[in-house]
Amino acid sequence: MDLGLDSKVVLITGGSKGIGEAITRTFLAEGAIVANVNRSSTEGEALEAEYAAQGKQCLFIQGDLTEVTACQRAVQTTLDKFGRIDVLVNNAGVNDGVALTDGPEAFVASLQRNLIHYYAMVHYALEALRNSRGAIVNIGSKVAATGQGGTSGYAAAKGGINGMTREWALDLAADKIRVNTVIPAETWTPLYAELINQSEDPQAAKQQIEDIIPLGKRFTTSQEIADMVVFLSSQRSLHTTGQIHYVDGGYTHLDRKYTSGSNNVDLSKS
Ligand code: NAP
């Protein structure tokens, strides 16, 4: 399937690591040009050099997206360098565990880490996206639908992203800009591995999570998230907008009665 992404310009946030890195690499494999804004530099610079050696462009833009000026600069730098933006992927975020007990200041800071820059990136890239009739893909989280406890800021941010997905899809339909969100639930990344490795028995901790993932009893791969993001950004997805797409092996929506690792329900009788 030709996705028609050759030479398209993709601006991604947090494209150096984890899910973002997989998205960056998948767009590049499809022939796109990538601009990647990320806080830490090492991985982003390495990606830029790796792809430059192959004659491909993966521009690294250093910036902390909690500052809206970094969002504006990322958009401007991309336009100065490539002259257009065809796809915006809002991906950067962190489950920072800001809870009810942490207070309003911490809550606002969590929204800055996880929500405000999604809005700011779209705001600053709007004219360019109008010119290209581009696409926006946001990365959300299951927590907007499930709750998790102890993470009010992150949950509010991810709920807000779902809300803005529909809002923007309507706002921008006349401009033929499509807006979609992809939801990971349990996606295996180096950061996730690091967290699991902190538990007393990492193997058991991983197994416990895998047991409640219905499809294949395994984590989603970053590649599987990236494939959906790239498809939604492409010419093969021209009539899909305002949607929340769960790429989670059925984790969020399938009936726990049938999918919990500890149950004895005979699925053949259901
Ligand atoms: P990750 O491995 O930590 O990668 C996040 C990337 O974003 C890193 O490169 C990080 O750079 C960058 N970043 C974060 N905050 C930034 C900021 N303020 N300014 C600039 N760059 C920033 O995390 P991930 O698991 O791939 O998560 C990616 C997205 O998926 C997030 O929106 C997350 O909420 C969502 N998600 C993931 C899972 C999962 O299971 N992995 C589940 C649900 C939702 P630094 O290293 O410099 O911080």
Side-chain angles (χ1 to χ4, degrees), residues 1-211:
M1 185 188 287
D2 180 3
L3 296 177
L5 286 165
D6 197 37
S7 301
K8 298 288 184 196
V9 176
V10 178
L11 174 55
I12 175 167
T13 68
S16 298
K17 296 179 192 170
I19 291 169
E21 180 188 347
I23 297 170
T24 295
R25 289 187 184 279
T26 308
F27 272 116
L28 285 158
E30 291 297 321
I33 292 163
V34 173
N36 161 33
V37 52
N38 207 95
R39 181 171 41 201
S40 54
S41 301
T42 311
E43 293 83 0
E45 285 171 356
L47 276 171
E48 183 173 309
E50 177 187 333
Y51 282 98
Q54 302 170 30
K56 295 184 177 182
Q57 301 192 78
C58 181
L59 176 70
F60 172 64
I61 304 166
Q62 197 285 326
D64 182 341
L65 296 158
T66 59
E67 296 158 16
V68 287
T69 50
C71 301
Q72 189 168 22
R73 192 165 44 78
V75 168
Q76 197 52 54
T77 305
T78 307
L79 290 173
D80 290 347
K81 178 85 176 169
F82 303 120
R84 56 187 291 135
I85 297 170
D86 297 286
V87 177
L88 171 65
V89 181
N90 277 316
N91 162 72
V94 58
N95 191 343
D96 52 11
V98 171
L100 264 175
T101 45
D102 290 312
E105 258 179 53
F107 181 75
V108 169
S110 179
L111 297 186
Q112 277 164 341
R113 282 179 215 115
N114 290 299
L115 179 68
I116 310 296
H117 57 85
Y118 277 52
Y119 171 89
M121 291 297 294
V122 172
H123 172 76
Y124 292 121
L126 199 48
E127 195 186 329
L129 290 167
R130 282 195 167 118
N131 292 338
S132 65
R133 297 191 164 183
I136 299 166
V137 181
N138 301 313
I139 304 299
S141 168
K142 69 170 191 301
V143 77
T146 59
Q148 190 177 87
T151 193
S152 298
Y154 185 68
K158 293 302 190 182
I161 289 163
N162 288 359
M164 290 196 299
T165 300
R166 280 130 184 173
E167 177 71 8
W168 296 340
L170 193 54
D171 275 342
L172 303 177
D175 295 308
K176 300 222 162 45
I177 298 171
R178 297 177 302 104
V179 188
N180 288 284
T181 284
V182 174
I183 305 278
E186 304 297 333
T187 299
W188 194 249
T189 61
L191 180 69
Y192 211 132
E194 207 179 300
L195 291 174
I196 291 265
N197 282 334
Q198 285 165 18
S199 54
E200 228 166 79
D201 183 347
Q203 195 57 39
K206 186 167 186 242
Q207 187 68 51
Q208 208 177 3
I209 296 166
E210 287 173 333
D211 280 347

Side-chain angles (χ1 to χ4, degrees), residues 205-226:
K206 186 167 186 242
Q207 187 68 51
Q208 208 177 3
I209 296 166
E210 287 173 333
D211 280 347
I212 53 171
I213 300 171
L215 194 61
K217 303 286 179 196
R218 63 167 177 84
F219 279 76
T220 307
T221 66
S222 294
Q223 186 63 56
E224 287 164 329
I225 304 289

